[in-house]
Every structure is written in C-alpha cells, then in structure tokens.
Amino acid sequence: MRRLPKLNPVLIASALALAANAAADPGGADALTSEGPVQPAKVEGGKYLDKDGNPTYRVTDGGRKVDWNTMSGYLRYNANCIACHGPDGAGSTYAPSLVEALKRDDYPTFVGIVAGGKRDVNAAQELVMPAFGENKNVMCYIDDIYVYLRARSDGVVGRGRPAEHEPRSEAFKAHEDACMG
Ligand code: HEC
C-alpha cells in the first residue's frame, strides 16, 4: 500500500490563510490591479477606491470581468438613467452623454448633479435632469453608477452587459441593507 506523503503543517497553515484572504476579498491576491488608466489603491467597505479615496472600478480579463460595484452600477443605470441618457451612458437626443460628462466631472460634481438635478431651460430648449436625492434606488447605489460610468468613460468597459463579475461582498450587502432600510 502506498503511504500518503506527510503534510507540512506550515504549508497547510499558509494555504488556509490564503483561502481565508480570498474569501474575505473576492479579488484575491491581485485585487489592486485593474485594466485602464486608474488603479485601485485600496478596498474599503467592499469598494475599490483610487489613491484620492474616490470610488473606482476593477476590470480584468480584457474588459470581460468587472467588480461587483461596476456590475451593480450597470444594472442601476439601466433601471434609472437609460430612459434619458441612452444605452451604455452614450447619450440621446434629449440628454447628454455621461461617458463624455465624466471626462470633465469629478466624483463630488457627479454626485451633486444626480442628487440635486440640473436644468437648462430657455426659449429654445427645456432640458431637465430630475433630482434623485430622495430616491434610495439611486442614492444607495450612487457610487456603483459612478464607477460603471467611470469605467465606460475610461474606455475599459464596452457597450452592453459585462460578461462576468466578482461576487457581491458581505460589506456591500451590509451597506445595501442599511441604506435601503
Ligand atoms: C428624465 C430624464 C433624465 C433622467 C431619468 C436622468 N437624467 Fe441626467 N440629465 C438629463 C438632462 C436633460 C440633463 C442635461 C441638463 C442640463 O443640461 O442642464 C442631464 C444631465 C446629467 C448630468 C450632467 C451631465 C454633464 O454634461 O455635466 C449627469 C451627471 C447626469 N445627468 C446623471 C444622471 C444619472 C446618473 C441618472 C440616473 C440615476 C440620470 N442622469 C437620469 C435628463 C435625465
């Protein structure tokens, strides 16, 4: 009968530690590497943040796989913004392209416009962006919508639904439950 090789307890301990890490942080060891011009600097509350502390995306596999926040942002964008801003943030005859807007607007500006609305009403046109500040379906996911559009704006995520995504973290669920009430 063949004897099983003796297992090295140090190796087992480090494999378990790696597995535990991977479970806590869905991105695993390469969690702070993304395609595109912006690299995540840290993960906080289940979100990727850039070096300035603003929410950012993590995209891998040649643009096919996104972090959960970007996926959530895609879904929320399609539920709340697409009617006016068109598919994929590309704009429509009625409302401007958000892919272009995010090349100028920083994170606080974006959140301010979505919460407070924006209007450009004159004799020639009547452009009204509604205020979503009281709408939990938007405001509880505002960072997600931002990172999705940021990824679109940086050209890292193409049109349509991302093919794959990282799992939803416990921290994301906790934030969602607390915010949605
Ligand atoms: C009812 C139509 C409508 C909906 C729904 C809507 N928007 Fe808008 N949005 C507009 C219009 C029109 C403007 C342009 C307003 C202006 O020029 O003053 C605008 C402007 C904006 C701007 C500023 C763009 C720039 O060029 O600086 C942002 C950011 C924005 N919208 C984000 C969103 C997001 C995110 C959602 C979904 C949560 C959303 N909008 C839903 C109509 C809409």
Side-chain angles (χ1 to χ4, degrees), residues 76-77 80-85 94-98 101-102 104-105 109-110 113-114 118-120 125-130 132 138 142 145 149:
R76 299 287 158 183
Y77 176 86
N80 299 288
C81 319
I82 193 172
C84 295
H85 289 281
Y94 178 65
S97 159
L98 297 181
L102 283 219
R104 306 179 304 265
D105 298 349
T109 307
F110 173 83
I113 293 172
V114 178
K118 191 170 183 264
R119 53 202 297 132
D120 187 2
Q125 61 179 16
E126 196 169 317
L127 292 177
V128 180
M129 159 74 190
F132 286 97
V138 171
I142 190 67
I145 299 173
L149 291 170

Short mmCIF file of all heavy atoms in Angstrom, two decimals, residues 76-77 80-85 94-98 101-102 104-105 109-110 113-114 118-120 125-130 132 138 142 145 149, ligand 1:
data_model
loop_
_atom_site.label_atom_id
_atom_site.label_comp_id
_atom_site.label_asym_id
_atom_site.label_seq_id
_atom_site.Cartn_x
_atom_site.Cartn_y
_atom_site.Cartn_z
N ARG A 76 -28.18 49.40 -12.17
CA ARG A 76 -28.89 50.60 -11.67
C ARG A 76 -29.00 51.67 -12.75
O ARG A 76 -29.99 52.38 -12.84
CB ARG A 76 -28.20 51.16 -10.43
CG ARG A 76 -28.15 50.21 -9.29
CD ARG A 76 -29.51 50.05 -8.63
NE ARG A 76 -29.58 48.79 -7.89
CZ ARG A 76 -30.66 48.36 -7.26
NH1 ARG A 76 -31.77 49.06 -7.27
NH2 ARG A 76 -30.65 47.21 -6.62
N TYR A 77 -27.95 51.80 -13.55
CA TYR A 77 -28.00 52.76 -14.65
C TYR A 77 -29.16 52.38 -15.59
O TYR A 77 -29.96 53.23 -15.99
CB TYR A 77 -26.67 52.79 -15.44
CG TYR A 77 -26.77 53.70 -16.63
CD1 TYR A 77 -26.52 55.06 -16.50
CD2 TYR A 77 -27.20 53.22 -17.88
CE1 TYR A 77 -26.68 55.92 -17.57
CE2 TYR A 77 -27.37 54.08 -18.95
CZ TYR A 77 -27.10 55.42 -18.79
OH TYR A 77 -27.29 56.27 -19.86
N ASN A 80 -32.54 53.31 -13.99
CA ASN A 80 -32.90 54.67 -13.60
C ASN A 80 -32.46 55.78 -14.55
O ASN A 80 -32.96 56.90 -14.45
CB ASN A 80 -32.30 54.97 -12.22
CG ASN A 80 -32.84 54.05 -11.16
OD1 ASN A 80 -33.99 54.16 -10.76
ND2 ASN A 80 -32.02 53.11 -10.71
N CYS A 81 -31.51 55.53 -15.40
CA CYS A 81 -30.91 56.62 -16.18
C CYS A 81 -31.05 56.43 -17.69
O CYS A 81 -31.05 57.40 -18.46
CB CYS A 81 -29.41 56.75 -15.85
SG CYS A 81 -29.01 56.55 -14.10
N ILE A 82 -31.17 55.18 -18.11
CA ILE A 82 -31.11 54.84 -19.54
C ILE A 82 -32.21 55.53 -20.35
O ILE A 82 -31.99 55.91 -21.51
CB ILE A 82 -31.17 53.30 -19.72
CG1 ILE A 82 -30.80 52.89 -21.14
CG2 ILE A 82 -32.54 52.74 -19.34
CD1 ILE A 82 -30.64 51.38 -21.30
N ALA A 83 -33.38 55.75 -19.71
CA ALA A 83 -34.52 56.31 -20.45
C ALA A 83 -34.14 57.65 -21.08
O ALA A 83 -34.56 57.96 -22.19
CB ALA A 83 -35.72 56.47 -19.53
N CYS A 84 -33.36 58.44 -20.37
CA CYS A 84 -32.96 59.75 -20.91
C CYS A 84 -31.55 59.73 -21.49
O CYS A 84 -31.31 60.32 -22.54
CB CYS A 84 -33.02 60.81 -19.81
SG CYS A 84 -34.71 61.07 -19.21
N HIS A 85 -30.61 59.08 -20.80
CA HIS A 85 -29.21 59.17 -21.22
C HIS A 85 -28.79 58.11 -22.23
O HIS A 85 -27.64 58.10 -22.66
CB HIS A 85 -28.28 59.14 -20.01
CG HIS A 85 -28.34 60.39 -19.18
ND1 HIS A 85 -27.69 61.56 -19.54
CD2 HIS A 85 -29.02 60.68 -18.05
CE1 HIS A 85 -27.94 62.51 -18.65
NE2 HIS A 85 -28.75 62.00 -17.73
N TYR A 94 -32.16 63.73 -26.15
CA TYR A 94 -32.69 64.53 -25.05
C TYR A 94 -31.64 64.87 -23.99
O TYR A 94 -31.58 66.01 -23.52
CB TYR A 94 -33.87 63.78 -24.40
CG TYR A 94 -34.44 64.51 -23.23
CD1 TYR A 94 -35.08 65.75 -23.39
CD2 TYR A 94 -34.33 64.00 -21.94
CE1 TYR A 94 -35.59 66.43 -22.31
CE2 TYR A 94 -34.86 64.68 -20.86
CZ TYR A 94 -35.49 65.90 -21.04
OH TYR A 94 -35.99 66.58 -19.98
N ALA A 95 -30.81 63.89 -23.62
CA ALA A 95 -29.86 64.12 -22.51
C ALA A 95 -28.43 63.80 -22.94
O ALA A 95 -28.20 62.95 -23.79
CB ALA A 95 -30.27 63.25 -21.31
N PRO A 96 -27.47 64.51 -22.31
CA PRO A 96 -26.07 64.38 -22.76
C PRO A 96 -25.45 63.02 -22.46
O PRO A 96 -25.92 62.29 -21.60
CB PRO A 96 -25.35 65.48 -21.97
CG PRO A 96 -26.20 65.74 -20.77
CD PRO A 96 -27.61 65.46 -21.21
N SER A 97 -24.36 62.74 -23.17
CA SER A 97 -23.58 61.52 -22.93
C SER A 97 -22.90 61.62 -21.58
O SER A 97 -22.19 62.58 -21.29
CB SER A 97 -22.51 61.38 -24.02
OG SER A 97 -21.48 60.52 -23.57
N LEU A 98 -23.09 60.59 -20.74
CA LEU A 98 -22.42 60.60 -19.44
C LEU A 98 -21.01 60.03 -19.56
O LEU A 98 -20.16 60.29 -18.71
CB LEU A 98 -23.26 59.83 -18.41
CG LEU A 98 -24.64 60.45 -18.15
CD1 LEU A 98 -25.40 59.65 -17.10
CD2 LEU A 98 -24.54 61.92 -17.73
N ALA A 101 -19.45 63.27 -20.11
CA ALA A 101 -19.55 64.13 -18.92
C ALA A 101 -18.49 63.75 -17.88
O ALA A 101 -17.88 64.61 -17.25
CB ALA A 101 -20.94 64.04 -18.31
N LEU A 102 -18.25 62.44 -17.72
CA LEU A 102 -17.30 62.01 -16.68
C LEU A 102 -15.85 62.29 -17.05
O LEU A 102 -14.97 62.14 -16.23
CB LEU A 102 -17.50 60.53 -16.34
CG LEU A 102 -18.68 60.19 -15.45
CD1 LEU A 102 -18.34 59.10 -14.44
CD2 LEU A 102 -19.28 61.37 -14.72
N ARG A 104 -15.05 65.26 -17.66
CA ARG A 104 -14.91 66.58 -17.03
C ARG A 104 -15.30 66.56 -15.57
O ARG A 104 -14.64 67.15 -14.73
CB ARG A 104 -15.81 67.61 -17.72
CG ARG A 104 -15.68 67.73 -19.21
CD ARG A 104 -16.66 68.79 -19.74
NE ARG A 104 -18.04 68.50 -19.36
CZ ARG A 104 -18.90 67.83 -20.15
NH1 ARG A 104 -18.52 67.41 -21.34
NH2 ARG A 104 -20.13 67.60 -19.75
N ASP A 105 -16.44 65.92 -15.26
CA ASP A 105 -16.98 65.99 -13.91
C ASP A 105 -16.25 65.03 -12.97
O ASP A 105 -16.14 63.86 -13.28
CB ASP A 105 -18.47 65.61 -13.91
CG ASP A 105 -19.32 66.56 -14.76
OD1 ASP A 105 -18.79 67.63 -15.16
OD2 ASP A 105 -20.49 66.25 -15.01
N THR A 109 -18.80 66.34 -8.05
CA THR A 109 -19.66 67.05 -9.01
C THR A 109 -20.75 66.12 -9.51
O THR A 109 -21.94 66.50 -9.56
CB THR A 109 -18.82 67.55 -10.21
OG1 THR A 109 -17.73 68.31 -9.71
CG2 THR A 109 -19.65 68.38 -11.17
N PHE A 110 -20.38 64.90 -9.85
CA PHE A 110 -21.34 63.91 -10.34
C PHE A 110 -22.43 63.66 -9.30
O PHE A 110 -23.63 63.74 -9.59
CB PHE A 110 -20.60 62.61 -10.67
CG PHE A 110 -21.51 61.47 -11.03
CD1 PHE A 110 -22.01 61.33 -12.33
CD2 PHE A 110 -21.87 60.52 -10.08
CE1 PHE A 110 -22.85 60.27 -12.65
CE2 PHE A 110 -22.71 59.46 -10.40
CZ PHE A 110 -23.20 59.34 -11.69
N ILE A 113 -24.84 66.60 -8.93
CA ILE A 113 -25.82 66.76 -10.01
C ILE A 113 -26.93 65.72 -9.89
O ILE A 113 -28.11 66.03 -10.03
CB ILE A 113 -25.13 66.67 -11.40
CG1 ILE A 113 -24.22 67.86 -11.61
CG2 ILE A 113 -26.18 66.58 -12.52
CD1 ILE A 113 -23.34 67.77 -12.86
N VAL A 114 -26.55 64.47 -9.60
CA VAL A 114 -27.57 63.42 -9.50
C VAL A 114 -28.50 63.69 -8.32
O VAL A 114 -29.72 63.55 -8.42
CB VAL A 114 -26.93 62.01 -9.40
CG1 VAL A 114 -28.00 60.94 -9.27
CG2 VAL A 114 -26.05 61.73 -10.63
N LYS A 118 -30.44 69.15 -12.46
CA LYS A 118 -29.79 70.18 -13.27
C LYS A 118 -30.80 70.59 -14.32
O LYS A 118 -31.53 69.74 -14.83
CB LYS A 118 -28.54 69.58 -13.93
CG LYS A 118 -27.60 70.56 -14.58
CD LYS A 118 -26.29 69.86 -14.97
CE LYS A 118 -25.29 70.82 -15.56
NZ LYS A 118 -25.28 70.87 -17.01
N ARG A 119 -30.88 71.87 -14.62
CA ARG A 119 -31.81 72.24 -15.69
C ARG A 119 -31.23 73.34 -16.56
O ARG A 119 -30.48 74.19 -16.10
CB ARG A 119 -33.17 72.63 -15.13
CG ARG A 119 -33.13 73.69 -14.04
CD ARG A 119 -34.37 73.65 -13.17
NE ARG A 119 -35.56 73.93 -13.98
CZ ARG A 119 -36.67 73.21 -13.96
NH1 ARG A 119 -36.76 72.17 -13.19
NH2 ARG A 119 -37.69 73.54 -14.70
N ASP A 120 -31.58 73.26 -17.82
CA ASP A 120 -31.15 74.26 -18.78
C ASP A 120 -32.40 74.58 -19.60
O ASP A 120 -32.69 73.93 -20.60
CB ASP A 120 -30.03 73.69 -19.64
CG ASP A 120 -29.44 74.74 -20.56
OD1 ASP A 120 -29.88 75.91 -20.48
OD2 ASP A 120 -28.53 74.40 -21.34
N GLN A 125 -35.00 75.48 -25.68
CA GLN A 125 -34.99 74.10 -25.20
C GLN A 125 -35.41 74.02 -23.74
O GLN A 125 -35.43 75.01 -23.02
CB GLN A 125 -33.59 73.52 -25.34
CG GLN A 125 -32.57 74.31 -24.53
CD GLN A 125 -31.18 73.72 -24.64
OE1 GLN A 125 -30.89 72.93 -25.52
NE2 GLN A 125 -30.31 74.11 -23.74
N GLU A 126 -35.75 72.81 -23.34
CA GLU A 126 -36.15 72.57 -21.97
C GLU A 126 -35.52 71.26 -21.53
O GLU A 126 -36.08 70.18 -21.70
CB GLU A 126 -37.68 72.47 -21.91
CG GLU A 126 -38.21 72.60 -20.51
CD GLU A 126 -39.73 72.79 -20.50
OE1 GLU A 126 -40.24 73.57 -21.34
OE2 GLU A 126 -40.38 72.15 -19.67
N LEU A 127 -34.28 71.36 -21.00
CA LEU A 127 -33.56 70.17 -20.57
C LEU A 127 -33.64 70.08 -19.05
O LEU A 127 -33.16 70.97 -18.36
CB LEU A 127 -32.09 70.26 -20.98
CG LEU A 127 -31.80 70.21 -22.48
CD1 LEU A 127 -30.31 70.38 -22.73
CD2 LEU A 127 -32.28 68.89 -23.06
N VAL A 128 -34.27 69.01 -18.57
CA VAL A 128 -34.41 68.89 -17.11
C VAL A 128 -33.89 67.54 -16.65
O VAL A 128 -34.38 66.49 -17.05
CB VAL A 128 -35.88 69.06 -16.69
CG1 VAL A 128 -36.00 68.93 -15.17
CG2 VAL A 128 -36.42 70.41 -17.14
N MET A 129 -32.88 67.61 -15.80
CA MET A 129 -32.36 66.42 -15.13
C MET A 129 -33.01 66.38 -13.75
O MET A 129 -32.82 67.28 -12.94
CB MET A 129 -30.84 66.56 -15.03
CG MET A 129 -30.16 65.72 -13.98
SD MET A 129 -30.07 63.98 -14.46
CE MET A 129 -29.53 63.29 -12.90
N PRO A 130 -33.84 65.35 -13.48
CA PRO A 130 -34.53 65.32 -12.18
C PRO A 130 -33.56 65.17 -11.02
O PRO A 130 -32.47 64.64 -11.19
CB PRO A 130 -35.44 64.09 -12.29
CG PRO A 130 -35.07 63.35 -13.51
CD PRO A 130 -34.10 64.16 -14.30
N PHE A 132 -32.45 63.27 -7.78
CA PHE A 132 -32.68 61.93 -7.25
C PHE A 132 -32.33 61.82 -5.77
O PHE A 132 -32.27 60.72 -5.23
CB PHE A 132 -31.84 60.91 -8.04
CG PHE A 132 -32.36 60.62 -9.42
CD1 PHE A 132 -31.84 61.27 -10.53
CD2 PHE A 132 -33.38 59.70 -9.61
CE1 PHE A 132 -32.31 60.99 -11.81
CE2 PHE A 132 -33.85 59.42 -10.88
CZ PHE A 132 -33.32 60.06 -11.98
N VAL A 138 -31.56 55.03 -6.34
CA VAL A 138 -30.42 55.69 -6.99
C VAL A 138 -29.34 56.01 -5.95
O VAL A 138 -28.19 55.61 -6.11
CB VAL A 138 -30.87 56.98 -7.72
CG1 VAL A 138 -29.66 57.76 -8.21
CG2 VAL A 138 -31.79 56.63 -8.88
N ILE A 142 -25.25 55.11 -5.67
CA ILE A 142 -24.66 56.19 -6.45
C ILE A 142 -23.19 55.92 -6.79
O ILE A 142 -22.74 56.23 -7.90
CB ILE A 142 -24.85 57.56 -5.73
CG1 ILE A 142 -24.48 58.72 -6.63
CG2 ILE A 142 -24.11 57.64 -4.42
CD1 ILE A 142 -25.40 58.90 -7.80
N ILE A 145 -23.12 53.45 -9.71
CA ILE A 145 -23.41 54.09 -11.00
C ILE A 145 -22.19 54.90 -11.45
O ILE A 145 -21.79 54.87 -12.61
CB ILE A 145 -24.67 54.99 -10.90
CG1 ILE A 145 -25.89 54.13 -10.51
CG2 ILE A 145 -24.93 55.70 -12.22
CD1 ILE A 145 -27.16 54.93 -10.23
N LEU A 149 -19.96 54.24 -14.89
CA LEU A 149 -19.78 55.29 -15.90
C LEU A 149 -18.31 55.70 -16.02
O LEU A 149 -17.84 56.04 -17.11
CB LEU A 149 -20.66 56.49 -15.57
CG LEU A 149 -22.17 56.23 -15.73
CD1 LEU A 149 -22.97 57.38 -15.13
CD2 LEU A 149 -22.55 56.01 -17.20
C1 HEC B 1 -35.92 62.47 -17.22
C2 HEC B 1 -34.69 62.38 -17.95
C3 HEC B 1 -33.43 62.09 -17.16
C4 HEC B 1 -33.16 61.03 -16.30
C5 HEC B 1 -34.10 59.89 -15.90
C6 HEC B 1 -31.80 61.19 -15.88
N1 HEC B 1 -31.24 62.31 -16.43
FE1 HEC B 1 -29.36 63.01 -16.12
N2 HEC B 1 -29.75 64.63 -17.30
C7 HEC B 1 -30.93 64.84 -18.01
C8 HEC B 1 -30.81 66.07 -18.78
C9 HEC B 1 -31.87 66.64 -19.71
C10 HEC B 1 -29.54 66.60 -18.49
C11 HEC B 1 -28.94 67.92 -19.01
C12 HEC B 1 -29.31 69.01 -18.04
C13 HEC B 1 -28.69 70.35 -18.38
O1 HEC B 1 -28.07 70.48 -19.43
O2 HEC B 1 -28.82 71.26 -17.54
C14 HEC B 1 -28.91 65.68 -17.56
C15 HEC B 1 -27.64 65.86 -17.05
C16 HEC B 1 -26.98 64.93 -16.25
C17 HEC B 1 -25.62 65.08 -15.77
C18 HEC B 1 -24.70 66.25 -16.08
C19 HEC B 1 -24.03 65.97 -17.40
C20 HEC B 1 -23.00 66.98 -17.83
O3 HEC B 1 -22.87 67.18 -19.04
O4 HEC B 1 -22.31 67.52 -16.96
C21 HEC B 1 -25.33 63.96 -15.05
C22 HEC B 1 -24.02 63.63 -14.35
C23 HEC B 1 -26.49 63.10 -15.07
N3 HEC B 1 -27.48 63.74 -15.80
C24 HEC B 1 -26.59 61.87 -14.48
C25 HEC B 1 -27.73 61.08 -14.46
C26 HEC B 1 -27.81 59.80 -13.79
C27 HEC B 1 -26.66 59.11 -13.09
C28 HEC B 1 -29.09 59.36 -13.95
C29 HEC B 1 -29.71 58.11 -13.37
C30 HEC B 1 -29.63 57.97 -11.93
C31 HEC B 1 -29.81 60.37 -14.70
N4 HEC B 1 -28.94 61.38 -15.01
C32 HEC B 1 -31.15 60.29 -15.05
C33 HEC B 1 -32.03 64.02 -18.01
C34 HEC B 1 -32.20 62.88 -17.23
#
